[in-house]
Amino acid sequence: MSTALEQSLFQELEQLVLIDPHTHINPLSAASKNLADIMGYHYYTELAHSAGMDKALIEEENLDPKEKVGRLVEGLGHLDNTIQVSWLLDICREFFGFTDERITTDNWEALYDAAQQKMNEDNWEQQVLEHSKLEKVFLTNDFDDPLEGFDTNLYIPCLRTDDLVFQYLKRAVRDRLNQATNTEVGDANTMRDALAKLFERFVSKGAKACAISLPPSFAPQRVDAGAATAIIKHVVKGKRLTTAEQAMLSSYVFWTLAELCSEHGLPFDLMIGVNRRVYEDGVFQGQDLFDKRVSLIQYKELFNAFPKVKFPISVLGSTSNQELVSYSWIFPNVITNGHWWYSNIPTFIEVDTRSRLEAVPRNKQVGYYSDMYKLEFALPKFRMYRRVLAKVLANDFVGSRGWKEEEALAFGKQILRGNVETIFMNS
Amino acid sequence: MSTALEQSLFQELEQLVLIDPHTHINPLSAASKNLADIMGYHYYTELAHSAGMDKALIEEENLDPKEKVGRLVEGLGHLDNTIQVSWLLDICREFFGFTDERITTDNWEALYDAAQQKMNEDNWEQQVLEHSKLEKVFLTNDFDDPLEGFDTNLYIPCLRTDDLVFQYLKRAVRDRLNQATNTEVGDANTMRDALAKLFERFVSKGAKACAISLPPSFAPQRVDAGAATAIIKHVVKGKRLTTAEQAMLSSYVFWTLAELCSEHGLPFDLMIGVNRRVYEDGVFQGQDLFDKRVSLIQYKELFNAFPKVKFPISVLGSTSNQELVSYSWIFPNVITNGHWWYSNIPTFIEVDTRSRLEAVPRNKQVGYYSDMYKLEFALPKFRMYRRVLAKVLANDFVGSRGWKEEEALAFGKQILRGNVETIFMNS
Amino acid sequence: MSTALEQSLFQELEQLVLIDPHTHINPLSAASKNLADIMGYHYYTELAHSAGMDKALIEEENLDPKEKVGRLVEGLGHLDNTIQVSWLLDICREFFGFTDERITTDNWEALYDAAQQKMNEDNWEQQVLEHSKLEKVFLTNDFDDPLEGFDTNLYIPCLRTDDLVFQYLKRAVRDRLNQATNTEVGDANTMRDALAKLFERFVSKGAKACAISLPPSFAPQRVDAGAATAIIKHVVKGKRLTTAEQAMLSSYVFWTLAELCSEHGLPFDLMIGVNRRVYEDGVFQGQDLFDKRVSLIQYKELFNAFPKVKFPISVLGSTSNQELVSYSWIFPNVITNGHWWYSNIPTFIEVDTRSRLEAVPRNKQVGYYSDMYKLEFALPKFRMYRRVLAKVLANDFVGSRGWKEEEALAFGKQILRGNVETIFMNS
């Protein structure tokens, strides 16, 4: 039902070569090896489980990949309405020559085999990158990732800091930090030294961002080094912390990361609002949800304290979108970033995109990132976004505001790619 | 302005015979007896009062039904924009042969009399059921309802538990429970025994659900039987409870109800978010509002503790819809249920429906219930929903996703009726 | 892309002569004197700063107006997507004969000079009022404003009370109140006397409303006069107050204002949800943001206590809109009022308008106010609103509900103007 103008804008946007500014790609195994790698994406396992499939069927140990796909296909009928299954169909059509309307118990084996044949080709990863028009792909690396064995100009390192901020009470995390930095962290200063070494290593390897996902309750504040030292000493001795002390420790580490972002000119991606392990018996990566009672006001002190740090911000709930729009319109260092997770469906992307396009300076919006684990997902996810973007540009800019089509297209290209370069690649 | 496709889908959906999964019908007096029964629906009295009509005019004791309608008609002019008045017009046109554009001080008496003539017909109730294509109608019964004198295959009992969870401090409620169950509740165990007897009676009468409406502040937790006993003993002795004790008592009763739902395989309808008596001088049933600062995270422990209980969930605020979508997509036991009260207007139904249809497994969505007090309202309310549903199916599925019309229609039928059967009727 | 019907309704609505029920116009200098007055509107300075322009460039002392415009034009390219810049273009086209598509470094000087020529004309203010079809303009006056030197039938006084409720701890505010009322405020009674004198003066000068903007945390309650006296005595002696005492003082003053509104029959405009100075280094008037975790339930006691006071309510966040719709549908004294600040963009206006038009009695909705500081902004802002209103009337009323065009138009006119008269001008 889309208009000719929408179609035209969409087709133009489809030609754009992309830099994907946030993914979970493993650069040593970027493309899928079989259809189970694709259908094992948590969206399909968690939706199949939610629709009634036993978790044990999905997560049986040593399950053969083909058997796993066969089982998941049994549950697909309940999910064929979801946008996530439309991504899957899009992948199968674009990459594996699939032509049926649905994946069913009758046709899945042929699909599996056809996909296998393609993925067995030597240059499969290269094929996917080219067909998807992906020029560069941002990673999300553990802080102790060696960052070796791959082309950091294609797969761009990004320092993920969740463990440091929220899991430092775990002995294993402390050991990993000490080892990765050859430092014996024992107080606020040595903590800062260790974190500084991580930044130096990541930046020397071409890292272009620091990133973290944050629970709805988090409200970072500057913490005095003396207070931080007292808490870190407790932790190192294995003592338990009060909830208030844990929050102070998280704040201290987080704040130090922001200081290091400022020193190194690295953007700090904040992904705000996720509660971990809400559904305790959920499938792998299918356990997290959110509490919409979160506000960007919790980051007021941070945004004021670090005027030089760019904060590309993702919010988990669409009800947080207007705050994000307003904070980006006021704070020079707040940038809107993509459509995250539970907000990454066309209904929410559309209203969120409309408001951002008409109220946030055009140079402060990163339109989309795929958040993918396997390369094949960039194509359908960006395509979904481009459809919505084309619709909004056609209706709200060419239609209501009288823009020329080429002006709208230039705006779309800036949102999709230009701003990724100016915001992330100039550091 | 709807397209031919929307029209076609709407007409097809209009043919569907319905099971209405949540109403407040009195099965001993299901249809209206006069137009005052219809115009006395709280939507009209509260809107008329809100627009300026004195409550005393509306609620005068022993007011003649015709006089009441005459008075309400005086206030209708301020309300003719509301979707609720469009339901009223729809009823008058469908059932009473009304052909004018508006109900006015000039034409209401003729309408009243025409309506009276129809309602006086012997089989009025049957006519309404048939013309509305209603096959079965869920009730909402007080826990001590005798459940007698009606066909429980047509009017399906449902155990309403608000009083038990939130009003047990009232002597009258305690007496009613003791009497209904022939039990002297005095501790946690006898409380459980009494509640179990209610379930047995309701289930034996064909009940298909347990239901409750919940305030935004409620956050149920498992309560130790010993602690519950101490509190119940206090209550029975007439002692006052602290706020914390009241919350524990509510939690204990609620949790026990969930256990009994699990034992009996009954779905537990949760209607989340209503504050009672916010407008103290409001008309009957026109006093309740809400606080949008509520989150489904408050039910985390419950959803994890009862994997076998289906929780069809209604939220009062549209800002809670995305949480509901996300929780239903993750938790196998969370089901989206209709469009409740202040969210039951096309603007909110549309955005809520779009997101549910594209992100929740199709077998976990109950599209709509009428919430009606009188049978005549099923027709216009379901019709309003069907229009929105047809629009979403036409635009988002046939249009954007390329589905065939019959596939979209099958999806719509599942949402409207199929899931009511699989979710409620198999227990 | 709008339909012929939308266009027709829009053109009809454009003919309507307006009363603007909320502005920040200075009646002694209502129209702009140069283009810097227009481009100095905080929307342009804050957006330019947000997009990267140094605050010092914008706010340099003694900056020549033309130089200021030249500097701001340098930053306009990053903002040309914003609806705010579309207002600017609309002004330049309507009032200054501008015909280019954008304001650029190449054409701005000619525009500046052309604008200057127009604004230098003797009757510029009159020209703007006429061309904008503005019949009356509400002001927002400081409580000690002399209200002299202007036609109070054209520029209607309105008592702004923020300072009294939230800044009374400041010596300067206390002195201003004492002086303006010739009263030595020292306890609850003299406070009431002083406030009563303000009301008498404002009402005698033709004031038609009392207004206040409120932070998200505010939850007014009735405060005992004795308790208020104790706190006021502390304040007057220069003692510091606890947070709780400050809240009680604010509540006491606020509650007394509501009592005086009741006595004088003045509507009390509540503008709910703004946090002041969130971005501490922001440009002038570009520092305020919000916390969406606010609920109208915080005003429950107020709405119940003052049934005779009309409360036209503006909410800062679109996530508060459904509460506003619902509270207006239930409380006779709650009225929806315009689209405020961060919600004043078409995306949010559209969804907010749709829900209000279909669920709030038609006599309880004030469609729009400009909130302008300079007269030239009424035209583009009201035009933006009228476009959305025409679209909603065309789609939802003529289209979906089958209204005649003239009925929809009459509804639109009531929303835009009729209700301003009945709600504000009858007092």
Side-chain angles (χ1 to χ4, degrees):
Chain A
M1 328 262 268
S2 61
T3 63
L5 175 64
E6 255 177 83
Q7 274 302 322
S8 163
L9 281 166
F10 170 67
Q11 291 304 342
E12 291 281 359
L13 291 171
E14 279 279 85
Q15 304 313 313
L16 196 66
V17 174
L18 299 171
I19 299 170
D20 188 340
H22 180 72
T23 78
H24 297 270
I25 289 293
N26 171 1
L28 306 180
S29 178
S32 297
K33 294 196 164 12
N34 51 54
L35 200 56
D37 278 355
I38 289 172
M39 286 189 63
Y41 195 17
H42 68 83
Y43 286 105
Y44 307 116
T45 55
E46 74 201 15
L47 282 166
H49 176 52
S50 171
M53 187 171 292
D54 196 329
K55 176 183 164 184
L57 278 176
I58 300 167
E59 300 197 339
E60 190 183 318
E61 242 178 304
N62 300 320
L63 184 59
D64 173 75
K66 191 163 182 177
E67 171 69 15
K68 182 174 183 174
V69 169
R71 290 182 185 179
L72 285 168
V73 167
E74 300 269 350
L76 270 188
H78 293 316
L79 317 178
D80 63 11
N81 58 302
T82 64
I83 198 72
Q84 291 85 359
V85 168
S86 81
W87 304 337
L88 176 63
L89 287 170
D90 223 11
I91 288 172
C92 293
R93 286 173 187 142
E94 286 282 339
F95 291 111
F96 311 132
F98 187 69
T99 55
D100 290 356
E101 283 189 358
R102 318 235 163 165
I103 302 169
T104 68
T105 49
D106 290 332
N107 64 18
W108 76 270
E109 283 206 68
L111 169 62
Y112 189 95
D113 296 338
Q116 195 60 60
Q117 206 170 349
K118 290 295 296 177
M119 295 191 224
N120 285 346
E121 291 175 14
D122 269 355
N123 63 345
W124 179 240
E125 178 179 340
Q126 212 45 49
Q127 284 187 50
V128 177
L129 288 167
E130 276 169 26
H131 190 64
S132 309
K133 298 199 176 64
L134 280 171
E135 184 181 315
K136 294 171 190 293
V137 175
F138 279 52
L139 309 175
T140 305
N141 306 90
D142 283 339
F143 66 82
D144 53 347
D145 187 315
L147 304 177
E148 277 165 13
F150 62 90
D151 174 1
T152 59
N153 192 41
L154 167 58
Y155 294 117
I156 296 175
C158 169
L159 173 59
R160 174 148 214 177
T161 56
D162 297 51
D163 286 350
L164 297 166
V165 173
F166 296 109
Q167 305 297 334
Y168 192 70
L169 291 178
K170 291 189 181 154
R171 176 67 185 261
V173 173
R174 297 200 298 276
D175 290 348
R176 283 169 54 207
L177 178 60
N178 289 351
Q179 203 164 352
T181 59
N182 202 19
T183 303
E184 186 70 30
V185 175
D187 57 20
N189 285 335
T190 45
M191 172 64 88
R192 199 189 195 285
D193 293 343
L195 298 177
K197 285 188 186 173
L198 296 180
F199 270 72
E200 279 152 31
R201 189 161 60 77
F202 268 77
V203 169
S204 75
K205 294 283 193 178
K208 295 297 179 199
C210 180
I212 189 167
S213 70
L214 300 154
S217 58
F218 193 60
Q221 298 189 297
R222 190 191 304 274
V223 173
D224 174 73
T229 286
I231 294 169
I232 293 169
K233 283 181 188 291
H234 273 333
V235 172
V236 170
K237 285 181 190 155
K239 291 190 187 168
R240 299 191 60 171
L241 298 187
T242 64
T243 305
E245 287 171 330
Q246 287 180 39
M248 282 177 71
L249 176 60
S250 291
S251 265
Y252 178 75
V253 177
F254 181 82
W255 207 267
T256 306
L257 294 171
E259 289 170 349
L260 290 163
C261 283
S262 190
E263 286 176 23
H264 290 277
L266 273 197
F268 197 174
D269 291 345
L270 307 184
M271 313 190 76
I272 295 174
V274 63
N275 286 112
R276 301 293 178 183
R277 303 217 54 222
V278 173
Y279 174 33
E280 292 157 16
D281 289 328
V283 299
F284 177 62
Q285 295 182 326
Q287 305 174 349
D288 307 334
L289 280 160
F290 61 103
D291 179 342
K292 69 181 169 62
R293 296 169 302 178
V294 56
S295 173
L296 292 184
I297 200 85
Q298 298 166 218
Y299 294 84
K300 168 185 169 177
E301 190 178 338
L302 181 79
F303 298 151
N304 278 294
F306 296 100
K308 298 296 180 210
V309 177
K310 296 171 191 166
F311 293 102
I313 292 181
S314 299
V315 289
L316 196 46
S318 187
T319 52
S320 290
N321 175 65
Q322 192 187 5
E323 278 194 353
L324 180 53
V325 167
S326 305
Y327 279 68
S328 300
W329 136 5
I330 292 297
F331 276 103
N333 53 347
V334 173
I335 291 161
T336 64
N337 193 17
H339 302 273
W340 188 33
W341 205 337
Y342 294 110
S343 289
N344 186 29
I345 67 172
T347 299
F348 298 129
I349 293 173
E350 186 175 322
V351 67
D352 295 353
T353 295
R354 289 188 65 197
S355 56
R356 293 178 191 182
L357 262 53
E358 80 188 4
V360 176
R362 57 189 290 168
N363 62 335
K364 296 183 65 196
Q365 308 186 39
V366 175
Y368 198 71
Y369 53 79
S370 74
D371 217 8
M372 65 186 167
Y373 287 78
K374 289 292 175 188
L375 284 185
E376 291 82 359
F377 281 93
L379 189 146
K381 287 180 145 189
F382 271 99
R383 180 175 286 168
M384 170 184 72
Y385 175 71
R386 287 189 261 220
R387 275 194 213 284
V388 177
L389 181 60
K391 181 176 173 185
V392 174
L393 290 170
N395 290 343
D396 291 2
F397 287 84
V398 182
S400 301
R401 306 256 297 263
W403 283 30
K404 290 185 187 138
E405 184 175 349
E406 65 261 30
E407 292 170 330
L409 184 61
F411 185 22
K413 287 181 173 176
Q414 179 176 5
I415 297 298
L416 256 172
R417 157 133 193 171
N419 290 338
V420 177
E421 295 186 68
T422 54
I423 291 166
F424 291 104
M425 309 302 284
N426 289 339
S427 66
Chain B
M1 330 261 268
S2 61
T3 62
L5 175 64
E6 255 178 82
Q7 273 302 321
S8 163
L9 282 165
F10 170 67
Q11 292 303 341
E12 292 281 359
L13 291 171
E14 280 278 87
Q15 302 313 312
L16 196 66
V17 174
L18 298 171
I19 299 170
D20 188 340
H22 180 73
T23 78
H24 296 271
I25 289 294
N26 171 2
L28 306 180
S29 177
S32 297
K33 293 194 166 18
N34 51 54
L35 200 57
D37 279 355
I38 288 172
M39 285 190 62
Y41 195 17
H42 67 83
Y43 287 104
Y44 307 117
T45 56
E46 73 202 15
L47 282 166
H49 176 52
S50 171
M53 188 171 289
D54 196 329
K55 177 182 163 184
L57 277 176
I58 301 167
E59 300 197 339
E60 189 182 319
E61 241 178 304
N62 301 319
L63 184 60
D64 173 75
K66 190 163 182 177
E67 170 70 13
K68 182 175 184 175
V69 169
R71 291 181 184 179
L72 284 168
V73 167
E74 301 269 351
L76 269 189
H78 293 315
L79 316 179
D80 63 10
N81 59 302
T82 65
I83 200 70
Q84 291 86 359
V85 168
S86 80
W87 304 338
L88 176 64
L89 287 171
D90 223 11
I91 288 172
C92 293
R93 287 173 186 143
E94 286 282 339
F95 290 111
F96 310 133
F98 187 69
T99 54
D100 291 356
E101 283 190 359
R102 318 234 163 164
I103 302 170
T104 68
T105 49
D106 290 334
N107 65 18
W108 77 269
E109 283 206 69
L111 169 63
Y112 190 95
D113 296 338
Q116 196 60 61
Q117 205 171 352
K118 289 296 295 179
M119 296 191 223
N120 285 346
E121 289 175 16
D122 269 356
N123 63 344
W124 178 241
E125 177 179 341
Q126 212 46 49
Q127 284 187 49
V128 176
L129 287 167
E130 277 170 25
H131 189 64
S132 309
K133 299 198 174 66
L134 280 172
E135 184 182 315
K136 292 173 191 293
V137 174
F138 279 52
L139 310 175
T140 304
N141 307 89
D142 283 338
F143 66 82
D144 53 348
D145 187 317
L147 303 177
E148 277 166 12
F150 61 91
D151 174 1
T152 59
N153 192 41
L154 166 58
Y155 294 117
I156 297 174
C158 168
L159 173 60
R160 173 146 214 179
T161 56
D162 298 50
D163 286 352
L164 297 165
V165 174
F166 296 110
Q167 305 296 335
Y168 191 71
L169 291 178
K170 292 188 180 157
R171 177 68 185 260
V173 173
R174 298 200 298 277
D175 289 349
R176 283 168 54 206
L177 179 60
N178 289 351
Q179 202 164 353
T181 60
N182 202 17
T183 303
E184 186 71 26
V185 175
D187 57 20
N189 285 336
T190 44
M191 172 65 87
R192 199 190 194 286
D193 292 346
L195 298 177
K197 285 187 185 171
L198 297 180
F199 270 72
E200 279 151 30
R201 189 163 58 78
F202 268 78
V203 168
S204 75
K205 294 283 191 176
K208 295 296 180 198
C210 181
I212 189 167
S213 69
L214 301 154
S217 59
F218 193 60
Q221 297 189 296
R222 191 190 304 273
V223 173
D224 174 73
T229 287
I231 293 168
I232 293 169
K233 282 180 188 293
H234 272 332
V235 172
V236 171
K237 285 180 191 157
K239 291 190 186 167
R240 297 191 61 170
L241 298 186
T242 64
T243 305
E245 286 171 332
Q246 286 179 39
M248 283 178 72
L249 176 60
S250 291
S251 266
Y252 178 75
V253 176
F254 181 82
W255 208 267
T256 306
L257 294 170
E259 289 171 349
L260 290 162
C261 283
S262 190
E263 286 176 25
H264 290 277
L266 272 199
F268 197 174
D269 291 344
L270 308 184
M271 312 189 77
I272 295 174
V274 64
N275 285 113
R276 300 293 179 183
R277 302 216 56 223
V278 174
Y279 174 32
E280 293 158 16
D281 288 329
V283 299
F284 178 62
Q285 294 182 328
Q287 305 174 348
D288 306 335
L289 280 159
F290 61 102
D291 179 343
K292 69 182 170 61
R293 295 168 303 178
V294 56
S295 172
L296 292 183
I297 200 84
Q298 299 166 216
Y299 294 84
K300 169 185 170 177
E301 189 177 339
L302 180 80
F303 298 151
N304 277 293
F306 296 99
K308 298 295 180 213
V309 177
K310 295 171 192 165
F311 294 103
I313 292 181
S314 298
V315 288
L316 195 47
S318 187
T319 53
S320 289
N321 175 65
Q322 191 187 6
E323 277 194 355
L324 179 54
V325 166
S326 304
Y327 279 69
S328 300
W329 137 5
I330 293 298
F331 276 103
N333 52 347
V334 174
I335 291 160
T336 64
N337 193 18
H339 302 274
W340 188 33
W341 204 335
Y342 295 110
S343 289
N344 186 29
I345 67 171
T347 299
F348 298 128
I349 293 173
E350 186 175 323
V351 67
D352 294 354
T353 295
R354 289 188 65 196
S355 55
R356 293 178 191 182
L357 261 54
E358 80 188 3
V360 176
R362 59 190 288 168
N363 61 336
K364 296 183 65 195
Q365 307 185 41
V366 175
Y368 199 72
Y369 52 80
S370 74
D371 217 10
M372 65 186 168
Y373 286 77
K374 288 293 175 188
L375 283 185
E376 290 83 357
F377 282 93
L379 189 145
K381 287 179 146 192
F382 270 99
R383 180 175 286 169
M384 170 184 70
Y385 176 71
R386 287 190 261 220
R387 276 194 212 283
V388 177
L389 181 60
K391 180 176 173 184
V392 174
L393 290 170
N395 290 342
D396 291 2
F397 287 84
V398 181
S400 301
R401 306 256 298 261
W403 283 31
K404 290 184 186 141
E405 184 173 347
E406 66 260 29
E407 292 171 330
L409 183 62
F411 185 22
K413 287 181 172 176
Q414 179 176 6
I415 297 296
L416 255 172
R417 158 134 193 169
N419 290 338
V420 176
E421 295 186 67
T422 54
I423 291 167
F424 292 102
M425 307 303 284
N426 289 338
S427 65
Chain C
M1 328 260 267
S2 60
T3 62
L5 174 64
E6 255 178 83
Q7 273 303 321
S8 162
L9 282 164
F10 170 67
Q11 292 304 341
E12 292 280 359
L13 291 171
E14 279 278 86
Q15 302 313 312
L16 195 66
V17 174
L18 299 170
I19 299 170
D20 188 340
H22 180 71
T23 78
H24 296 270
I25 290 293
N26 171 0
L28 306 180
S29 176
S32 298
K33 294 198 166 7
N34 51 54
L35 200 56
D37 278 356
I38 289 172
M39 286 189 63
Y41 195 17
H42 68 82
Y43 286 105
Y44 306 117
T45 56
E46 75 202 15
L47 282 165
H49 176 51
S50 171
M53 188 171 292
D54 196 329
K55 177 183 164 184
L57 278 176
I58 300 167
E59 301 197 337
E60 190 183 318
E61 242 177 302
N62 301 319
L63 185 59
D64 173 76
K66 191 162 181 178
E67 171 67 16
K68 183 174 183 176
V69 169
R71 290 183 185 179
L72 285 167
V73 167
E74 299 271 349
L76 270 188
H78 293 316
L79 317 178
D80 63 10
N81 58 302
T82 64
I83 199 72
Q84 291 85 0
V85 168
S86 80
W87 303 338
L88 176 64
L89 287 170
D90 224 10
I91 289 173
C92 294
R93 286 173 188 140
E94 287 281 341
F95 291 111
F96 311 132
F98 187 68
T99 54
D100 291 355
E101 284 189 358
R102 317 235 163 164
I103 301 170
T104 68
T105 49
D106 289 333
N107 64 18
W108 76 270
E109 282 206 68
L111 169 63
Y112 189 94
D113 297 337
Q116 195 60 61
Q117 206 172 352
K118 289 296 295 180
M119 295 190 223
N120 285 346
E121 290 175 16
D122 267 357
N123 63 344
W124 178 240
E125 178 179 340
Q126 212 45 49
Q127 284 187 49
V128 177
L129 288 167
E130 276 169 29
H131 190 64
S132 307
K133 299 198 175 66
L134 280 171
E135 183 181 316
K136 292 172 190 292
V137 175
F138 279 51
L139 309 175
T140 304
N141 306 90
D142 283 338
F143 65 83
D144 53 349
D145 188 317
L147 303 177
E148 279 165 11
F150 61 91
D151 174 2
T152 59
N153 192 42
L154 166 58
Y155 294 117
I156 297 174
C158 169
L159 173 59
R160 175 145 213 179
T161 56
D162 298 51
D163 285 351
L164 297 166
V165 174
F166 296 109
Q167 306 297 335
Y168 192 70
L169 291 179
K170 291 189 179 154
R171 177 69 186 262
V173 173
R174 298 200 298 277
D175 289 348
R176 284 168 54 206
L177 179 60
N178 289 353
Q179 201 164 353
T181 60
N182 203 18
T183 303
E184 185 71 29
V185 174
D187 57 19
N189 285 335
T190 45
M191 172 67 86
R192 200 188 194 287
D193 292 344
L195 298 177
K197 285 188 185 170
L198 296 180
F199 270 72
E200 279 151 30
R201 189 161 60 78
F202 268 78
V203 169
S204 75
K205 295 282 191 177
K208 295 296 179 197
C210 180
I212 189 168
S213 70
L214 301 153
S217 59
F218 193 60
Q221 297 189 299
R222 191 190 303 274
V223 174
D224 174 72
T229 286
I231 292 169
I232 292 169
K233 283 180 187 293
H234 272 333
V235 172
V236 170
K237 285 181 191 156
K239 291 190 187 169
R240 299 190 62 169
L241 299 186
T242 64
T243 305
E245 286 170 331
Q246 287 180 39
M248 282 177 72
L249 176 59
S250 292
S251 265
Y252 178 75
V253 176
F254 180 83
W255 208 267
T256 306
L257 294 171
E259 289 170 351
L260 291 162
C261 283
S262 190
E263 286 177 23
H264 290 277
L266 273 198
F268 197 174
D269 291 344
L270 307 184
M271 313 191 77
I272 295 175
V274 63
N275 286 111
R276 301 293 178 184
R277 302 216 57 220
V278 173
Y279 174 31
E280 292 158 16
D281 288 328
V283 299
F284 178 62
Q285 294 183 326
Q287 306 175 349
D288 306 334
L289 280 159
F290 61 103
D291 178 343
K292 69 182 169 62
R293 296 168 302 178
V294 55
S295 172
L296 292 184
I297 199 84
Q298 298 166 218
Y299 294 84
K300 168 185 169 176
E301 191 178 338
L302 180 80
F303 298 151
N304 278 293
F306 296 99
K308 298 295 180 211
V309 177
K310 296 171 191 164
F311 294 103
I313 290 181
S314 298
V315 289
L316 195 47
S318 187
T319 52
S320 289
N321 175 65
Q322 192 187 6
E323 278 193 355
L324 179 54
V325 167
S326 305
Y327 279 69
S328 300
W329 137 5
I330 293 299
F331 277 103
N333 52 347
V334 174
I335 291 160
T336 64
N337 193 17
H339 302 274
W340 188 33
W341 204 336
Y342 295 110
S343 289
N344 186 29
I345 66 171
T347 300
F348 299 129
I349 293 173
E350 185 175 325
V351 67
D352 294 353
T353 295
R354 289 187 65 196
S355 55
R356 293 178 190 182
L357 260 54
E358 81 188 3
V360 176
R362 60 189 288 167
N363 61 337
K364 295 184 65 198
Q365 308 185 40
V366 175
Y368 198 71
Y369 53 79
S370 73
D371 217 7
M372 64 186 167
Y373 286 77
K374 289 291 173 188
L375 282 185
E376 291 82 358
F377 282 93
L379 188 147
K381 288 180 145 191
F382 270 99
R383 181 175 285 169
M384 170 184 71
Y385 175 71
R386 286 189 262 221
R387 276 195 212 284
V388 177
L389 181 60
K391 181 176 173 183
V392 174
L393 290 170
N395 289 343
D396 292 2
F397 288 84
V398 182
S400 301
R401 306 255 298 261
W403 282 32
K404 290 184 188 141
E405 184 175 346
E406 66 260 30
E407 292 171 331
L409 184 62
F411 185 21
K413 287 181 173 177
Q414 179 176 6
I415 297 298
L416 256 171
R417 157 132 195 171
N419 290 338
V420 177
E421 296 185 66
T422 54
I423 291 166
F424 292 103
M425 308 301 285
N426 289 339
S427 67

